[in-house]
Amino acid sequence: MPPLTTPKSGDALFASVERVNAELFTLTYGAIVRQLLTDLEEVEEVNKQLDQMGYNIGTRLVDEFLAKSNVSTCVDFKETADTIAKLGFKMFLGVTATVTNWDAEGTTCSFVLEDNPLVDFVELPDTCQGLQYCNVLSGVIRGALEMVSMKTEVTWVRDMLRGDDAYEMRVKLTKQVPEEYPYKDDD
């Protein structure tokens, strides 16, 4: 049996991941959003596209996260949410989130970010007030959770670009999909 390894801390994970210059990342993301606004013209379509881009990213990031973090299987949605907030956000964005506002069933919570590197240098013009600028993050959460058998709905509740005091995503677990194994064991 291989020796048990303890999960890495968020800071250790952040230090172990290759990074690009934060300003380059922020400006590149801004350019992508701007191009989508030009190409799609409708803000709601841009929101959908950003979410889909994030979903595709999340389905791939989860593999890297699991490979580098030494995190074992989480027992429930609460533990999974805490792991994402403390380790996942730190590993990929260099920030941590706070998990709050749990419902009684333990299936809905909020991720609150005090700092969001995606929005450095960003001001939304009046013509883009319906834009969910950071919708890529909600897609990443949705995609990553789906890869670990959790179907979710993710919506933005607060956004500092709209004058709120923090960034808050509401995450609702809609279905826990049982893991299926592709091969039947021969006994």
Side-chain angles (χ1 to χ4, degrees):
M1 176 187 235
L4 293 175
T5 57
T6 57
K8 293 182 180 180
S9 71
D11 290 328
L13 284 171
F14 185 64
S16 71
V17 174
E18 287 185 43
R19 289 183 295 281
V20 297
N21 178 290
E23 288 179 4
L24 176 64
F25 175 69
T26 301
L27 293 171
T28 301
Y29 181 72
I32 291 169
V33 173
R34 179 74 178 120
Q35 190 63 50
L36 286 171
L37 284 165
T38 301
D39 292 348
L40 301 176
E41 296 175 1
E42 294 292 324
V43 170
E44 194 51 45
E45 286 302 312
V46 173
N47 290 339
K48 288 177 186 176
Q49 189 66 35
L50 289 171
D51 180 73
Q52 186 60 44
M53 289 169 56
Y55 176 85
N56 293 338
I57 293 167
T59 60
R60 288 164 179 81
L61 281 184
V62 73
D63 288 331
E64 183 174 354
F65 175 77
L66 292 172
K68 292 184 178 180
S69 69
N70 296 331
V71 172
S72 61
T73 304
C74 295
V75 293
D76 59 13
F77 184 59
K78 284 187 175 187
E79 185 179 345
T80 304
D82 195 50
T83 300
I84 291 169
K86 304 266 184 304
L87 300 178
F89 277 106
K90 186 68 173 184
M91 181 175 175
F92 295 109
L93 289 177
V95 299
T96 56
T98 306
V99 183
T100 62
N101 301 327
W102 282 100
D103 67 352
E105 295 83 31
T107 59
T108 304
C109 66
S110 291
F111 288 124
V112 178
L113 295 161
E114 301 293 327
D115 186 28
N116 184 345
L118 289 180
V119 298
D120 293 343
F121 319 115
V122 175
E123 289 182 25
L124 289 180
D126 292 337
T127 57
C128 295
Q129 289 307 308
L131 178 66
Q132 297 291 326
Y133 186 82
C134 299
N135 225 27
V136 72
L137 293 179
S138 58
V140 168
I141 298 296
R142 199 170 52 82
L145 287 173
E146 192 168 307
M147 291 296 101
V148 293
S149 304
M150 295 181 184
K151 297 254 187 207
T152 56
E153 293 173 0
V154 184
T155 54
W156 285 96
V157 178
R158 294 188 291 164
D159 188 338
M160 290 176 79
L161 291 175
R162 291 197 174 83
D164 295 321
D165 59 340
Y167 298 94
E168 180 180 349
M169 282 183 281
R170 195 81 178 138
V171 182
K172 179 181 180 180
L173 177 67
T174 58
K175 184 177 181 183
Q176 181 91 36
V177 181
E179 289 190 46
E180 296 179 11
Y181 298 98
Y183 302 105
K184 186 176 179 179
D185 288 337
D186 293 332
D187 289 332

